[in-house]
Amino acid sequence: MSRQTHPSAIPEPPTKSAEPTSPGAAADAGAAADRRRWIALAIVMTAAFMDLVDVTIVNIAIPSIENDLDASFGAIQWITAGYALAFAAGLITGGRLGDIYGRKRLFLIGITGFTLASALCGFAMSAEMLVASRLLQGAMAAMMVPQVLAIVHTTFPAHERGKVFGLFGAVVGLGAVSGPLLGALLTEWNLFGLEWRPIFLINLPVGIAGLILGRMYITESRAPKALRLDLVGVVLVTSALLMLIYPLTRGRELGWPLWGHLLMAGSPLVLAAFVAYERYKTRKDGSPLVELSLFRVKSFAAGIAVQLTFGVVMGVFFLVWTLYMQIGLGWSALRAGLTGVPFSIAVSVAAGVSVQKLVPRFGRKVLQAGALTMVAGMLLYIWEADRYGTGIGSWQMAVPLVVMGLGMGLIVAPLTDAILSEVPREHAGSASGLISTVQQTGTALGLGLVSVVFFGSMDDSIGDGFSEHSAGDAAGAAGGSAMEQGLIREMIGNAFSHAFRNSLWWVVAVLGAIFLLMFALPARPKQHLEGADAGAGAGTDSDGAADGNAAVNDREPTLTH
């Protein structure tokens, strides 16, 4: 240190303390720093991968969870929707806490809590315990995941972020494909007789390793001008969501009680109170939970509406699809997981092509073509499910799934760019966090609507009588001859097939609304969010939403999920 401070000092024989001043030693020190940041990147990417897989891995294990815990379908909905709701409610707050108290600290708190919650999920002794553990897991993910892009932003210089977000895109794509397959394999293998539990317990060694290595290699950072927490805003918006989603999820099972209707009717009032408070908070100290001025930008307001409704589509489709294949058709978890592979591949391929080739040339028309392509795939799926009934095969599903996957890929990758393209640069961070929150809210709402669009279309004798057991077990428990059991199995299969087709018609209607909303998006998104600083289009979330573009602002965005 003294030799650097006093360069004119008389040279001394080389010593260990003097080595860093030599060019070679300086290069070694730089290489070590370079290795540390790439190790840090691997750590946060692994944590993001763990979260992404945990979303997609659960659906495939639903029948096993249902049978083992004797869970009602309302509880099953909350096992999936509860995670999305807790994640959505905590995303912006998690990012704000990272700004104030340090991104590394919040990341380590988040990954610790996520690992503990995963253990609670894996050892859950009842459906209620599993639902509570999933809520905790979602809340901890909301602490952990928003720090990923912020850590990348502070660790890597602008000219390297494009490459980093490209790696993140690959990780996300791998998570989308591997989640259902990993869930199917772990469930089918029934390791140590644990049935579905390894889908959560697999997070334990990964989380512990991430915690230890994160403490060693991640560099702490904070926002120089962090905003204050808006706890009142968090309570109001979370209350509004719960008042809407909880009655939707439990209403059918409880016979649609009066209190459920009152809660749903009161939800818009609480949401209005939230908006009023956010205006007051903006005037008071300029630190609202949601930057309401963003909604004056037409393309942003329309894009948020698209993101919300698209989340509803995904929430409805993926849950009813799993119920249809595994309970209605009686397929194994592995067969259901493998059936979805063409869909995941189609999404990945179309997402890459749309961002790199199509959007720069055709702009908004690419997203609208994606919505129409998804509609075509849904209609083809409805036709095949009706034509082949319970005898439909995986190979017959492949064609509509590929068409739907291509359509989704055309939408999800460029959607964030389209939403943010006219947002002022100084608000890009908060805008991207709001996009993430709205998407997760839409998914939770879609999962809640499954009670209406799926089970609501079944005959009461099927929907109520078999709502807590798989169709196969119900048929076996009915006794009688093999022919009688086969007839019961066929009756249940036909009921689930009819409910699946009815759900797809709802999805088609929502996609039609999305197509119309897209006319309010800019015809050709501006390119200021696609420079080297952002790594445009490089990353997609678990439902495909682009992430790389969000890192263009001094205040880092939260990660779309």
Side-chain angles (χ1 to χ4, degrees), residues 77-78 80-89 241 244-246 248-249 308 311-312 314-316 319 437-450 543:
Q77 285 175 274
W78 268 100
T80 51
Y83 183 96
L85 183 60
F87 188 87
L241 293 174
L244 177 62
I245 294 172
Y246 184 77
L248 278 176
T249 305
L308 178 67
V312 171
M314 296 300 98
V316 170
L319 181 55
T437 302
V438 165
Q439 180 197 3
Q440 292 303 312
T441 300
T443 300
L445 181 58
L447 290 166
L449 285 170
V450 168
D543 294 317

Side-chain angles (χ1 to χ4, degrees), residues 41 110 249 318 425 455:
L41 175 66
T249 305
F318 285 113
R425 197 178 190 87
F455 294 113

Side-chain angles (χ1 to χ4, degrees), residues 327-329 388-392 462 466 471-472 475 482-498:
I327 298 181
L329 301 180
Y388 299 108
T390 56
I392 192 171
I462 300 293
F466 298 103
M483 179 177 294
E484 289 173 336
Q485 292 184 27
L487 289 174
I488 293 173
R489 185 70 187 77
E490 183 73 14
M491 178 183 69
I492 297 169
N494 287 333
F496 272 71
S497 181
H498 169 73

Side-chain angles (χ1 to χ4, degrees), residues 92 96 227 230 233 274-275 277-283 285-297 300-301 304 420 423-435 437-438 553 555:
I92 296 177
R96 191 71 53 81
L227 298 176
D230 181 8
F274 167 73
V275 172
Y277 180 79
E278 292 302 283
R279 288 174 177 165
Y280 162 76
K281 185 73 170 173
T282 301
R283 294 192 303 268
D285 57 22
S287 59
L289 184 67
V290 173
E291 184 63 53
L292 297 178
S293 63
L294 290 169
F295 289 92
R296 300 193 189 107
V297 180
F300 179 82
I304 284 293
L420 292 175
V423 169
R425 197 178 190 87
E426 63 271 18
H427 292 312
S430 57
S432 113
L434 188 56
I435 291 171
T437 302
V438 165
N553 192 33
R555 188 174 180 279

Side-chain angles (χ1 to χ4, degrees), residues 380-397:
L380 181 58
Y381 213 156
I382 292 170
W383 179 79
E384 286 194 353
D386 183 47
R387 176 179 174 83
Y388 299 108
T390 56
I392 192 171
S394 297
W395 68 271
Q396 291 162 323
M397 291 185 184

